[in-house]
Amino acid sequence: MTSNSPQPVKKVPIHLQSAQNRVYIKNGQVVNADKSFKADVYIEDGIIKFVGAAADITVPGGVRTIDATGKLVMPGGIDPHTHMQLPFGNAVAVDDFYHGTKAAVAGGTTMIIDFVLPNKQQSMLEAYDTWRSWADPKVCCDYGFHVGITWWSKSVSDEIGVLCKELGVNSFKTFMAYKGLYQLNDSDLLDVFERIRSLNGVAMVHAENGDIIAKNAKRLLAEGITGPEGHELSRQEEVEAEAVHRACILAHQVDCPLYVVHVMSKSAGIEVARARQRYQGKYIMGETLAAALGTDGSHYRCQHFGHAAAHILSPPLRPDPTTPEFLMKLLANNDLQTTGSDNCTFNKNQKELGLGDFTKIPNGVNGVEDRMSLVWERGVHAGLMDACQFVAITSSNAAKIFNIFPQKGCIAVGSDADVVVWDPQATRTISKDTHHHACDFNIFEGMTVHGVPEFVLVRGRVCVENGLVRVAEGFGRFIPTPVRPAYVYDRLEGNAEAQQPEQQQNGNASKKLAELDAHIQPQQPIAAMLSADQNGNSHNHPARARVDGVRDQQESSFSLSEELDKAAVRSSIKVHNPPGGKSSGFW
Ligand code: URQ
Ligand code: ZN
Ligand code: ZN
């Protein structure tokens, strides 16, 4: 963290109106992505009006004053990846736009960017209207939208234009997975990326090879591997990494900037880093998730269906327990730029739709409430990054990429007063019993994290105060995200100034990438694991809870530490007994 004094400013006279909409935060340490400095912050009507020394402002009586001595005053978090009340298969995510944004605010996040996901053949504009009608009356903080491109046609192409030009959407998510549902082929991806580029938008990609996943899932189910462990087995690291690599090249071929959502593995993270190096910091940006930074795929081997299924999202958490720290280091090095949550929560009864068939478990986990604290704990408290970097990866970079900076993601005069007064020393223990989500499970259960939002202001409204959360349903506004983000396009179009920081950071990139490669644990392809010898005996059978594939619903003897120990020594998943003991096959 740097410590710069703010420029001297003229003394600002403040005229008293209503104390309700005027807040004065004094004695805090302001932290922005580029610098940190001691300053007071004055807010009026939801806008930051003053940032500077106490001596340079006359604060009238009656203004709400918050003493931030010993605390950090940071821009509220921006979660660029949520799915509130998403219909997914036969389930609807239980965190709706009220509970989801309330949880966000409780954790220090003051803006979310959610995804409109039209059905195949559905008009994107119709879907956009539907999502707006869900969100507008419920949101407790500001929000924006990305829109999914789940099929491709001339009408979709035209509607992307309307969304960009008239409806405040600059970013579009494509899927290389979810075969038969959302997946696009390479030819369509090229056309989509080309169209987005022509509008100066930002393409996004869910990068997993859906064809491989479909084949592996079919094979695993046929072998009787039907429990949650089959999820990760059907879509291992290289299945994600291959798609990241391909997507980056497809985007580059048509000159389109690409934001890779939810990078979940070391291999995929390296592909993003490699592409950024290859293209001199242009074109490619990467996001990882609170889930990937805070927990790992050992949970899929838990014998208790509910526990394992609650951790299922796509791409999955990885069994390699060194993944979270590795991804955090990629963030610290600007190889990845943002942290989202992919908050998409389902309750136990909904996850049980996948009993007997892991492909039917609704995908998604929590994270919008705990993202900020987790990144602080695993990033700043662990000594891997400083507070300015924390602000960059939890707020400012998302604001820049999606073109709402400095309205959001910044403590500066004229910015929206989305502010967090952060206590870096305070701790809290995460639990489903105290979280603000509507869901009955928390994937970070029991973790104690440093970094607590003592006050959270949403556009100047104090919504969190010493642990008390008082949000206002419908208070949030839709924030349009205009096309041509300078952060993305200046670099892409060769603005030398914009390229500077990336080039510096990528100075010894080749050596660095070679070192990163050494961290990848080789994995065995699923076809080899399931192969049969001439006597009809399979070899190297992966995790299997019971021969019938239905997992035991009783309490398990699962020990996370034992699982982590096992994972640490294995080079592939072929040699260990399944968590429920040896069943049959090739343990
Ligand atoms: O893929 C996603 O982002 C959504 C549709 C579902 N959630 C998840 O598992 N990542
Ligand atoms: Zn996705
Ligand atoms: Zn998602």
Side-chain angles (χ1 to χ4, degrees):
M1 196 191 305
T2 56
S3 191
N4 300 345
S5 298
Q7 295 297 310
V9 289
K10 251 182 81 195
K11 200 151 179 134
V12 183
I14 302 298
H15 303 290
L16 186 62
Q17 290 164 5
S18 153
Q20 286 295 325
N21 58 355
R22 305 198 294 159
V23 183
Y24 182 55
I25 305 172
K26 64 174 190 184
N27 302 330
Q29 178 79 13
V30 171
V31 185
N32 278 326
D34 59 343
K35 64 184 176 196
S36 173
F37 49 90
K38 280 238 170 300
D40 291 359
V41 176
Y42 179 74
I43 293 160
E44 199 173 277
D45 295 330
I47 302 291
I48 297 174
K49 300 283 181 173
F50 172 85
V51 181
D56 295 322
I57 183 169
T58 307
V59 182
V63 170
R64 170 81 200 266
T65 299
I66 294 171
D67 186 356
T69 303
K71 310 287 160 46
L72 307 178
V73 180
M74 309 191 296
I78 299 172
D79 187 335
H81 191 149
T82 65
H83 301 279
M84 305 311 176
Q85 65 193 76
L86 176 72
F88 192 91
N90 293 325
V92 176
V94 293
D95 277 330
D96 63 4
F97 280 95
Y98 172 69
H99 289 97
T101 53
K102 181 179 181 183
V105 171
T109 288
T110 52
M111 179 170 173
I112 61 164
I113 314 183
D114 205 90
F115 288 82
V116 175
L117 291 183
N119 295 321
K120 259 190 159 68
Q121 309 303 321
Q122 188 188 10
S123 153
M124 298 164 88
L125 304 184
E126 182 187 294
Y128 172 92
D129 285 342
T130 302
W131 254 261
R132 286 291 304 262
S133 75
W134 291 341
D136 285 329
K138 289 189 183 173
V139 280
C140 305
C141 65
D142 289 353
Y143 77 103
F145 277 147
H146 317 288
V147 175
I149 299 181
T150 54
W151 60 295
W152 185 233
S153 71
K154 164 85 172 62
S155 68
V156 172
S157 175
D158 291 345
E159 288 188 350
I160 296 176
V162 177
L163 286 159
C164 282
K165 290 174 188 159
E166 298 171 29
L167 296 175
V169 175
N170 69 8
S171 43
F172 299 89
K173 182 177 176 186
T174 57
F175 294 85
M176 299 168 90
Y178 302 118
K179 192 176 165 87
L181 182 64
Y182 297 148
Q183 184 176 333
L184 297 182
N185 62 33
D186 288 358
S187 171
D188 288 346
L189 284 171
L190 281 167
D191 287 347
V192 171
F193 292 165
E194 200 167 42
R195 175 67 174 141
I196 292 169
R197 175 64 179 95
S198 76
L199 292 157
N200 291 330
V202 179
M204 308 172 86
V205 69
H206 175 133
E208 289 184 291
N209 186 317
D211 296 323
I212 296 176
I213 294 164
K215 196 174 191 63
N216 284 343
K218 198 169 160 200
R219 193 160 186 166
L220 285 157
L221 290 171
E223 289 282 335
I225 297 160
T226 61
E229 74 276 13
H231 180 68
E232 203 277 335
L233 290 168
S234 70
R235 49 211 311 156
Q236 295 171 329
E237 284 205 34
E238 68 177 20
V239 177
E240 184 187 1
E242 182 277 331
V244 171
H245 181 72
R246 183 159 40 101
C248 292
I249 289 173
L250 293 175
H252 181 245
Q253 284 296 314
V254 291
D255 198 36
C256 182
L258 179 69
Y259 177 95
V260 184
V261 298
H262 48 44
V263 171
M264 297 296 285
S265 62
K266 297 199 299 193
S267 314
I270 289 172
E271 288 299 341
V272 171
R274 211 189 289 281
R276 285 177 60 78
Q277 181 196 353
R278 193 164 61 239
Y279 307 138
Q280 289 92 42
K282 307 176 202 175
Y283 294 104
I284 308 301
M285 295 145 284
E287 162 200 278
T288 189
L289 302 183
L293 297 167
T295 184
D296 64 49
S298 59
H299 295 278
Y300 297 137
R301 293 166 64 83
C302 175
Q303 197 177 11
H304 189 266
F305 175 88
H307 182 96
H311 289 81
I312 287 209
L313 79 162
S314 297
L317 299 165
R318 300 302 175 184
D320 178 347
T322 62
T323 303
E325 185 178 324
F326 187 89
L327 291 172
M328 188 64 81
K329 286 180 176 167
L330 291 184
L331 284 163
N333 204 47
N334 198 33
D335 290 320
L336 295 172
Q337 285 64 50
T338 63
T339 52
S341 66
D342 206 352
N343 196 92
C344 186
T345 52
F346 298 99
N347 278 341
K348 181 171 176 287
N349 61 324
Q350 296 173 304
K351 292 277 182 180
E352 283 174 358
L353 291 167
L355 267 172
D357 181 349
F358 64 83
T359 66
K360 295 193 166 53
I361 300 171
N363 284 202
V365 298
N366 64 289
V368 76
E369 180 164 353
D370 301 319
R371 180 183 68 111
M372 299 281 281
S373 292
L374 263 163
V375 176
W376 185 271
E377 175 69 22
R378 299 278 171 112
V380 185
H381 192 74
L384 297 178
M385 64 179 62
D386 65 25
C388 292
Q389 288 172 297
F390 172 81
V391 168
I393 64 165
T394 56
S395 181
S396 313
N397 286 352
K400 290 174 184 172
I401 291 169
F402 299 110
N403 212 7
I404 47 174
F405 187 89
Q407 179 188 358
K408 303 287 188 187
C410 189
I411 301 290
V413 173
S415 296
D416 285 355
D418 290 346
V419 181
V420 176
V421 177
W422 190 259
D423 186 339
Q425 302 304 335
T427 60
R428 70 185 178 93
T429 299
I430 298 172
S431 174
K432 67 175 172 46
D433 299 327
T434 49
H435 69 200
H436 297 82
H437 294 275
C439 57
D440 58 9
F441 195 91
N442 191 312
I443 59 168
F444 310 116
E445 185 72 33
M447 286 184 200
T448 297
V449 286
H450 291 81
V452 172
E454 193 168 290
F455 291 88
V456 180
L457 283 72
V458 178
R459 267 188 296 110
R461 184 181 189 282
V462 179
C463 292
V464 177
E465 190 169 353
N466 297 317
L468 268 181
V469 180
R470 285 200 211 93
V471 290
E473 189 165 8
F475 179 77
R477 291 177 315 190
F478 177 75
I479 304 293
T481 53
V483 294
R484 204 192 175 287
Y487 177 85
V488 177
Y489 274 90
D490 281 0
R491 194 165 282 143
L492 197 147
E493 289 169 357
N495 176 327
E497 207 178 305
Q499 285 177 50
Q500 197 76 21
E502 301 293 338
Q503 284 171 348
Q504 280 165 5
Q505 290 197 341
N506 285 328
N508 59 356
S510 300
K511 181 167 171 281
K512 188 190 75 187
L513 285 171
E515 285 165 7
L516 292 182
D517 274 340
H519 290 269
I520 301 298
Q521 292 184 346
Q523 282 180 300
Q524 205 183 26
I526 199 72
M529 288 183 207
L530 297 175
S531 65
D533 69 17
Q534 290 186 337
N535 299 322
N537 295 320
S538 301
H539 294 283
N540 307 329
H541 208 295
R544 179 188 289 181
R546 291 226 314 248
V547 187
D548 61 8
V550 179
R551 291 180 144 247
D552 198 336
Q553 293 295 289
Q554 308 307 312
E555 287 303 310
S556 80
S557 56
F558 174 76
S559 152
L560 179 57
S561 56
E562 272 177 38
E563 290 300 314
L564 292 175
D565 287 348
K566 283 184 209 164
V569 294
R570 73 185 175 190
S571 60
S572 79
I573 57 174
K574 66 182 179 182
V575 291
H576 293 291
N577 285 341
K582 188 166 177 161
S583 53
S584 66
F586 307 94
W587 290 92

